């Protein structure tokens, strides 16, 4: 455990680096902390041995290590008080609460990104218990089908599909036999997997041109399980000095694709906790360990969604958590 003085020194190093992106030495710390440079140097040495701070080169000051950021987030971070301008910016959301859900989510994401100078992501709410009650294929003509999907919460989706080959009533009966057998009370994502496994193999043996039916079913399911994403400040990450070479830039651009963002949030949002903070290597990104993700769940009558801010490890965690909390309360109250 750190003593109080060492905690104060670590806090000062972290917060200085968040603000300046520059290492700090004992003399500079002594200007703001009421201890001698010698005492501070001694404690910095201990903090370095604990792996909480590090030198950028042999004669430099210190910067936080990943372990240091984690200690700061878990044990030190202080409450952040919003400024008048930040409060005014957040109030703009009240003026737009009657627009469409997608536009409202986008406005929240844009304001969150503007206030953090990071990339903000909001996943639209989805029912966590959304399961399939029934899928049925109806033959409208030899080259036209209607696919109907009914969920456990009473939603009904249907879509017409034109086919490039003839199908018979017997073909469609074979399809529906399997759908009735395998898809009752199955969650939407699992059904997507089944289509490309058992269903596809079965139809291959039973129905000519089976792949057309698979494509139709797949399209309907994909449209209904795809999560809606609102993105703010998509390229704010690319402006960060922490992303300092072309390879990192390419990786970040790739991460900002919709499917990868959803996967990132699904993999890094703690299932037990309301708010989750993943720092550097904790994100398990193959070629980047300079980024952090702060995410939080919000709940509406339409289900549960996720708010997240994606930025450099030296992000202002206290400020970002406070702003995410404000946006979460806003969505909980206004997204019906």
């Amino acid at each position: 455990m750190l003593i109080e003085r060492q905690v104060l020194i670590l806090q000062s190093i972290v917060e200085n680096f968040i603000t300046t992106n520059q290492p700090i030495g004992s003399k500079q710390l002594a200007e703001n902390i009421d201890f001698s440079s010698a005492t501070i140097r001694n404690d910095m040495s201990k903090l370095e041995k604990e792996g909480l701070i590090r030198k950028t080169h042999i004669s430099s000051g210190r910067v936080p290590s990943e372990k240091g950021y984690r200690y700061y987030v878990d044990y030190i971070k202080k409450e952040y008080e919003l400024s008048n301008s930040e409060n005014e910016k957040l109030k703009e959301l009240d003026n737009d609460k009657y627009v469409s859900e997608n536009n409202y989510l986008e406005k929240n994401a844009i304001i969150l990104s503007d206030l953090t100078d990071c990339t903000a992501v909001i996943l639209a709410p989805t029912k966590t218990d959304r399961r399939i009650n029934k899928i049925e294929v109806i033959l409208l003509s030899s080259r036209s089908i209607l696919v109907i999907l009914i969920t456990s919460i009473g939603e009904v989706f249907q879509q017409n599909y034109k086919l490039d080959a003839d199908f018979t009533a017997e073909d469609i009966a074979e399809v529906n036999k399997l759908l009735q057998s395998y898809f009752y009370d199955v969650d939407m994502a699992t059904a997507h997997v089944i289509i490309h496994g058992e269903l596809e193999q079965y139809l291959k043996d039973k129905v000519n041109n089976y792949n057309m039916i698979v494509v139709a079913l797949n399209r309907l399911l994909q449209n209904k399980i795809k999560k809606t994403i609102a993105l703010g400040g998509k390229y704010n990450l690319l402006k960060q000095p922490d992303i300092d070479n072309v390879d990192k830039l390419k990786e970040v651009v790739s991460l900002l694709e919709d499917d990868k963002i959803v996967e990132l949030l699904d993999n890094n949002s703690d299932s037990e906790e309301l708010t989750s903070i993943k720092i550097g290597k904790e994100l398990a990104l193959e070629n980047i360990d300079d980024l952090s993700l702060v995410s939080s769940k919000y709940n509406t009558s339409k289900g549960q969604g996720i708010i997240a801010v994606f930025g450099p490890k030296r992000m202002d965690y206290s400020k970002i958590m406070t702003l995410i909390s404000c946006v979460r309360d806003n969505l909980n109250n206004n997204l019906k």
Side-chain angles (χ1 to χ4, degrees):
M1 291 295 293
L2 303 181
I3 62 174
E4 186 176 346
R5 186 180 66 236
Q6 292 165 349
V7 170
L8 181 59
I9 291 169
L10 177 59
Q11 178 178 349
S12 298
I13 292 171
V14 172
E15 292 176 357
N16 173 79
F17 194 63
I18 286 171
T19 303
T20 69
N21 195 29
Q22 296 296 322
I24 189 169
S26 57
K27 288 183 180 179
Q28 193 176 350
L29 281 171
E31 294 174 5
N32 300 306
I33 300 177
D34 194 19
F35 303 111
S36 70
S37 294
T39 299
I40 292 173
R41 273 196 305 274
N42 186 49
D43 281 330
M44 289 172 79
S45 178
K46 291 178 180 177
L47 291 171
E48 192 171 358
K49 287 179 181 176
E50 291 292 329
L52 297 168
I53 60 175
R54 61 182 179 83
K55 291 182 180 179
T56 54
H57 55 82
I58 197 162
S59 60
S60 75
R62 307 302 200 279
V63 299
S65 66
E66 202 162 288
K67 184 178 178 182
Y69 282 118
R70 174 48 65 189
Y71 192 98
Y72 175 81
V73 165
D74 289 345
Y75 303 112
I76 300 177
K77 70 179 187 304
K78 57 192 179 185
E79 292 296 317
Y80 180 82
E81 186 173 343
L82 294 173
S83 66
N84 290 335
S85 62
E86 287 165 341
N87 276 312
E88 287 301 315
K89 192 76 172 173
L90 289 167
K91 283 180 183 177
E92 292 178 23
L93 295 170
D94 289 334
N95 301 326
D96 291 326
K97 60 187 178 184
Y98 299 113
V99 299
S100 70
E101 177 181 296
N102 287 355
N103 287 342
Y104 191 59
L105 291 176
E106 185 177 3
K107 184 65 178 287
N108 276 264
I110 289 170
I111 285 181
L112 186 55
S113 70
D114 287 346
L115 293 175
T116 61
D117 203 29
C118 295
T119 296
V121 186
I122 300 179
L123 296 190
T126 55
K127 290 286 186 182
T128 55
D129 58 350
R130 204 175 182 210
R131 304 177 76 81
I132 291 174
N133 196 314
K134 183 178 183 180
I135 301 181
E136 184 176 0
V137 178
I138 296 173
L139 189 66
L140 301 177
S141 69
S142 63
R143 293 198 175 192
S144 178
I145 59 171
L146 173 68
V147 183
I148 298 175
L149 167 65
I150 303 173
T151 72
S152 58
I153 58 173
E155 300 165 308
V156 179
F157 304 108
Q158 58 185 44
Q159 184 69 51
N160 288 343
Y161 295 97
K162 297 291 184 184
L163 307 173
D164 294 329
D166 291 332
F167 285 83
T168 66
E170 289 75 18
D171 292 329
I172 300 305
E174 289 288 348
V175 173
N176 284 325
K177 189 186 300 182
L178 183 74
L179 294 178
Q180 185 177 1
S181 174
Y182 280 95
F183 286 79
Y184 178 72
D185 200 33
V186 171
D187 70 81
M188 304 275 273
T190 301
H192 183 67
V193 174
I194 291 172
I195 282 177
H196 288 289
E198 297 168 69
L199 175 64
E200 193 163 6
Q201 188 56 49
Y202 178 89
L203 290 178
K204 186 176 182 179
D205 299 330
K206 298 286 186 179
V207 179
N208 290 328
N209 300 304
Y210 70 97
N211 55 307
M212 295 180 192
I213 301 292
V214 170
V215 168
L217 292 168
N218 186 47
R219 282 179 182 168
L220 181 65
L221 273 175
Q222 270 191 327
N223 288 339
K224 300 312 166 192
I225 66 173
K226 188 174 182 180
K227 296 182 179 179
T228 301
I229 299 172
L231 202 57
K234 182 173 183 177
Y235 296 111
N236 281 356
L237 276 177
L238 304 184
K239 299 185 293 184
Q240 301 293 341
D242 312 72
I243 309 301
D244 54 7
N245 64 56
V246 173
D247 289 337
K248 286 181 182 178
L249 283 171
K250 288 178 180 177
E251 287 292 328
V252 171
V253 170
S254 175
L255 276 174
L256 295 175
E257 296 171 3
D258 284 4
D259 290 344
K260 290 192 177 181
I261 288 174
V262 171
E263 183 180 355
L264 183 73
L265 294 185
D266 285 345
N267 291 341
N268 289 284
S269 296
D270 196 311
S271 59
E272 301 298 325
E273 301 294 331
L274 179 65
T275 300
S276 172
I277 299 175
K278 294 295 178 73
I279 301 170
K281 291 185 176 68
E282 295 171 359
L283 278 173
L285 300 174
E286 285 187 12
N287 300 312
I288 310 176
D289 58 9
D290 303 294
L291 302 175
S292 290
L293 180 74
V294 182
S295 61
S296 181
K297 298 166 188 167
Y298 68 96
N299 293 285
T300 76
S301 59
K302 295 183 178 181
Q304 188 174 85
I306 296 176
I307 309 161
V309 170
F310 196 34
K313 279 193 294 192
R314 59 178 190 84
M315 66 167 62
D316 189 336
Y317 293 95
S318 298
K319 175 181 177 178
I320 285 171
M321 289 180 71
T322 299
L323 288 167
I324 284 179
S325 177
C326 292
V327 172
R328 181 181 66 231
D329 291 344
N330 181 55
L331 294 177
N332 286 344
N333 293 331
N334 294 323
L335 207 61
K336 304 299 183 184

